[in-house]
Amino acid sequence: MAFFIASSPHSHSRKSTSDIMMTVILCTLPGIAALCYFFGWGVLLQVVMAALTAVAAEAAVVALRGRPVKRYLKDHSALLTGVLLGIAIPPFAPWWIVIIGILFAIVIAKHLYGGLGQNLFNPAMVAYVVLLISFPVQMTTWLPPSELLVQPLGFTDSFAAIFTGLTTDGFSVNQLRIAVDGSTMATPLDTIKTSLLAGETVSEAVEKSVFGSFAGIGWGWVNVAFLAGGLILLKKKIIQWQIPVAMLASLFVFSLVGYAISPDGVASPLMHLFSGATMLGAFFIATDPVSASTTTRGRLIFGAMIGALVYLIRTFGGFPDGVAFAVLIANMCVPLIDYYTKPTTYGYRKESK
């Protein structure tokens, strides 16, 4: 009987790495469907393009490393990275944004550290932050929900806008961002931050057309869809409950305290929980088995740290959503968290510090 030694990720669900990765991908489908419904075909095009590019980049790098390409591709880790980055990219960002992001995620953030199980940071989030800092205009150009678009977009228009910058009728992406009320649209979180900087209150900000519900048109349902997928992951024991629960609880507590102190100066707890990338981050990003904390207490600390950082970045930082930054900062702290939360070895007494 052979004894195999393998690197992380390790799982107690008795599923192979490829099965786990594919289950996570399938559980993102409700969220992707909701994004497509509210924001058009561009979402699906970005996800597919990112996934295909990720697989191609993985194959090329593995071949250059002299490793068996087929075996490495079968774990579906590159495919998952592509899907997660594709979800995070605005639906009508230029095609080259996806290519640059995926190459950075696969080549730099993953294989430069040794490949799957060796990376210190979540590859998709590393790529997202690099893109956000390098190309802030393209990475913050979200279109309004389809119901607010002056010019409805079909599949052909979406394809043309991504690859040429113009729809088949000659509309640019910036022109499409102008909503029916003549105002330039942005995400709900970005709208609140911009309004506060302009001297308005949160109450005034939520009266704008992008807010048709408590978390903005479409965004509430998108987060509910990712929550549903995350609950499936929990039920199948693909992920542990500590990180998402700690993250959401921490974000709720911090936002509740802030809202109680200054209701006109900060977003409500429901807005924080059901807008932006909250649920995607809690169940699909922060729970990465390679870069997250591995101990039970450590996961609680790790998740709570991410929730607190998300609130602080959204409220006081320069970016409207802070999930990616919060996850990467928490990734840096994982060795320290695991060191001080590791359980006592069986048969040994815990030494006093």
Side-chain angles (χ1 to χ4, degrees), residues 36 40-50 91-92 98 154-155 157-160 162-163:
C36 289
W41 287 102
V43 174
L44 184 61
L45 288 171
Q46 298 285 16
V47 170
V48 171
M49 184 165 51
F92 295 95
V98 171
F155 180 85
D157 284 321
S158 301
F159 187 91
I162 292 173
F163 286 93

Side-chain angles (χ1 to χ4, degrees), residues 193 312-320:
K193 181 173 286 292
L312 293 174
I313 293 171
R314 286 178 176 178
T315 305
F316 304 106
F319 294 93

Side-chain angles (χ1 to χ4, degrees), residues 189 251 255 266-275 278 311 314-315:
L189 291 173
L251 179 58
S255 58
V266 297
S268 68
L270 285 178
M271 173 65 68
H272 280 289
L273 288 177
F274 290 96
S275 192
T278 301
Y311 175 78
R314 286 178 176 178
T315 305

Side-chain angles (χ1 to χ4, degrees), residues 227 230-250 281-283 286-287 293-304:
L227 172 61
L231 293 177
I232 294 174
L233 291 178
L234 286 175
K235 184 177 180 180
K236 290 182 172 291
K237 297 182 179 180
I238 300 298
I239 62 176
Q240 302 294 320
W241 64 268
Q242 290 92 347
I243 292 176
V245 169
M247 174 183 165
L248 296 177
S250 175
F283 291 96
T287 54
S293 180
T294 57
T295 67
T296 301
R297 286 188 298 154
R299 293 190 194 105
L300 291 171
I301 297 172
F302 179 79

Side-chain angles (χ1 to χ4, degrees), residues 176-240:
L176 294 172
R177 294 184 71 202
I178 305 299
V180 292
D181 60 1
S183 62
T184 301
M185 299 296 294
T187 62
L189 291 173
D190 192 27
T191 299
I192 289 179
K193 181 173 286 292
T194 303
S195 298
L196 291 174
L197 291 174
E200 300 179 4
T201 65
V202 173
S203 299
E204 293 172 329
V206 298
E207 292 177 358
K208 298 182 179 181
S209 55
V210 71
F211 291 94
S213 62
F214 64 93
I217 296 176
W219 288 100
W221 289 110
V222 167
N223 276 272
V224 168
F226 280 119
L227 172 61
L231 293 177
I232 294 174
L233 291 178
L234 286 175
K235 184 177 180 180
K236 290 182 172 291
K237 297 182 179 180
I238 300 298
I239 62 176
Q240 302 294 320

